[in-house]
Amino acid sequence: MNENRVTHYPVVIVGGGQAGLSTSYHLSLQGIDHLMFEKHHAMHAWETQRWDNFCLVTPNWQCDLPGHPYAGPDPDGFMKKEEILRYLKEFRTKVDPPIREGVSVRRVTPRPEGGFLVATSAGDFSADNVVVASGGYHEPIVPRMAERLPPSITQIHSAQYRNAGQLPEGPVLVVGSGQSGAQIAEDLHLAGRQVHLAVGNAPRCARFYRGRDVVTWLADMGYYDMPVEEHPLREGVRDNTNHYVTGRDGGRDIDLRKFALEGMELYGALRAFDGERLLFDANLAQALDDADRTYNGINAAIDKHIAQKGLEAPPPSVYEAVWQPPEERPTLDLAASGIASIVWCIGFRPDFHWLDAPVFNGAGHPQHRRGITAREGVYFIGLPWLHTWGSGRFGSVGRDAAHIVAHIDARAQLARRGSAA
């Protein structure tokens, strides 16, 4: 390859979601030339990997992308899928990024003289800095046991789920009770489907408490501004499952115990398939109790905040279980249950195989401090808990982008002073 013919940019951004566009916004403010690559089209995940009834689980007022705060009529509501897509399309129009859509980044490798070679499906480029804005949800996780299930059973991942009508008639097994699993189980339940839910260890929180949205309380209490270094779990918090709750129909709790009273079948975590039966851990009661303990713990922290500040608010309350599992059910006969489809809601694996840089831990996750890695010129943005709880959301990704761009600008100024000396 003749590197003299390679187009050079100070910054290359990989990924055209809200994190990449936020970075482009701040780079443009600083007058830093850059190019963005997106293998599909900008914001494609919001359009192609969300179900029809998807809505935000955080209030609209938290949507504060750089230069594009929420300006609609319902700041305390929760945007539905089409509203989210419109909001993001307007953001892209405002940013007007230098983006190459339909272009895959195949390899990023360091150059001996500094910077990086960026090999793409549209040719080769070079850059002083590479900002990885492709998120951390790349490969849908489906366990190997899925290969042994009868071919008559339809299996999809949560990223493929759209609505109850896409699945064949008959009971549905939802595996996983994080945000996606709990909301998809609810979506199927409200559609009148018989749902079997394998419950994981996800925590839950109230939607509203003492007269306000819980997110609003937590924001006032500084939870969304707490750096990962100050969290009791430190970097371990990045492995935590998000609390399940919903913004659907104006927002409400998701109470799996209530679903059970209404006919949803609950089990512990799915462990294996023996050829005839699904095998579950005997931990359903513990999982429900742990989720409720988190729910009440968050509310207790709000109670303390209200008392310390002397705020006026409705009286406190404590959630009490409306249903208890009569027994643990460690097995389920697949044929006898009539289960016709399974929705796997157990997350994603990261895949950064294309980035040749020593910045990953043993699990393939990037190691960084607020998106800045130990490898000069390599940055990450848009990851959960990149810096704070809000880093993976519309509310704080802009601040993370500004921080990274400031670091890039400082490096460039230092290099210019060095070359002028």
Side-chain angles (χ1 to χ4, degrees):
M1 180 184 65
N2 182 0
E3 289 194 29
N4 292 328
R5 301 179 63 183
V6 173
T7 304
H8 183 80
Y9 290 88
V11 182
V12 160
I13 303 170
V14 182
Q18 67 270 13
L21 266 68
S22 295
T23 305
S24 178
Y25 174 91
H26 284 287
L27 287 168
S28 295
L29 280 184
Q30 296 300 321
I32 300 174
D33 193 21
H34 60 284
L35 182 63
M36 178 187 298
F37 294 112
E38 167 53 56
K39 65 180 178 180
H40 299 293
H41 58 269
M43 307 294 186
H44 78 99
W46 289 97
E47 181 179 347
T48 64
Q49 297 181 15
R50 303 294 190 276
W51 55 94
D52 295 348
N53 289 318
F54 180 89
C55 59
L56 294 180
V57 298
T58 51
N60 294 334
W61 63 260
Q62 265 206 341
C63 296
D64 190 21
L65 293 171
H68 188 53
Y70 175 79
D74 190 13
D76 294 315
F78 307 89
M79 282 192 282
K80 299 177 182 178
K81 181 178 178 179
E82 291 305 315
E83 295 171 303
I84 299 167
L85 293 176
R86 185 164 56 249
Y87 172 75
L88 294 175
K89 182 179 180 180
E90 292 169 352
F91 179 52
R92 185 222 167 119
T93 299
K94 286 183 178 180
V95 175
D96 191 22
I99 185 171
R100 296 283 300 274
E101 295 176 290
V103 177
S104 299
V105 173
R106 294 173 174 169
R107 194 74 175 169
V108 172
T109 54
R111 300 190 304 172
E113 66 273 32
F116 305 89
L117 289 175
V118 182
T120 80
S121 58
D124 296 322
F125 301 80
S126 63
D128 299 318
N129 304 277
V130 174
V131 179
V132 182
S134 57
Y137 304 128
H138 304 132
E139 296 182 347
I141 297 175
V142 175
R144 294 299 301 266
M145 79 172 77
E147 302 167 7
R148 301 174 52 237
L149 295 170
S152 59
I153 295 179
T154 297
Q155 301 185 58
I156 64 172
H157 189 268
S158 59
Q160 300 167 297
Y161 177 76
R162 295 297 172 267
N163 55 63
Q166 82 182 103
L167 301 176
E169 292 185 3
V172 182
L173 171 65
V174 177
V175 181
S177 59
Q179 277 190 3
S180 293
Q183 291 178 75
I184 288 173
E186 179 192 47
D187 192 59
L188 291 162
H189 181 66
L190 294 177
R193 302 298 290 268
Q194 174 61 61
V195 178
H196 297 255
L197 176 62
V199 177
N201 61 358
R204 76 184 188 102
C205 67
R207 175 77 279 167
F208 303 104
Y209 184 62
R210 301 193 70 176
R212 304 175 79 196
D213 192 294
V214 163
V215 168
T216 304
W217 282 121
L218 294 178
D220 287 352
M221 295 159 65
Y223 273 67
Y224 291 100
D225 296 321
M226 180 193 297
V228 65
E229 295 84 5
E230 295 180 12
H231 194 279
L233 297 177
R234 300 297 190 272
E235 292 189 7
V237 72
R238 291 174 176 150
D239 298 324
N240 277 7
T241 305
N242 285 327
H243 304 70
Y244 58 85
V245 68
T246 184
R248 187 164 174 167
D249 301 326
R252 57 171 171 260
D253 294 4
I254 290 183
D255 187 347
L256 302 185
R257 298 182 193 269
K258 180 175 178 289
F259 289 158
L261 286 176
E262 296 169 350
M264 188 180 292
E265 301 288 346
L266 304 185
Y267 305 82
L270 180 59
R271 178 166 50 87
F273 175 60
D274 68 4
E276 295 182 355
R277 302 173 302 165
L278 296 167
L279 310 180
F280 302 91
D281 290 335
N283 64 347
L284 173 60
Q286 185 66 51
L288 295 175
D289 288 346
D290 287 347
D292 292 344
R293 189 174 299 109
T294 299
Y295 180 105
N296 283 324
I298 292 172
N299 289 353
I302 293 171
D303 292 337
K304 183 178 179 180
H305 171 75
I306 291 171
Q308 289 177 338
K309 297 295 183 179
L311 303 174
E312 294 289 335
S317 62
V318 175
Y319 173 82
E320 296 183 2
V322 298
W323 176 87
Q324 294 285 357
E327 60 182 357
E328 295 287 346
R329 296 187 290 180
T331 65
L332 176 65
D333 187 288
L334 194 57
S337 71
I339 288 172
S341 52
I342 297 176
V343 185
W344 299 102
C345 303
I346 51 179
F348 298 79
R349 295 185 186 91
D351 180 12
F352 299 106
H353 72 277
W354 49 269
L355 177 58
D356 182 11
V359 296
F360 301 101
N361 63 20
H365 295 281
Q367 296 180 296
H368 60 87
R369 185 179 179 86
R370 200 173 180 180
I372 301 169
T373 73
R375 175 59 169 90
E376 194 171 87
V378 175
Y379 303 86
F380 287 84
I381 190 168
L383 300 175
W385 277 100
L386 186 94
H387 178 53
T388 66
W389 196 0
S391 286
R393 306 174 185 226
F394 293 160
S396 298
V397 67
R399 289 186 297 178
D400 291 340
H403 179 77
I404 287 171
V405 169
H407 192 272
I408 291 172
D409 189 40
R411 281 191 63 228
Q413 291 187 36
L414 184 62
R416 285 194 294 268
R417 288 196 294 269
S419 62

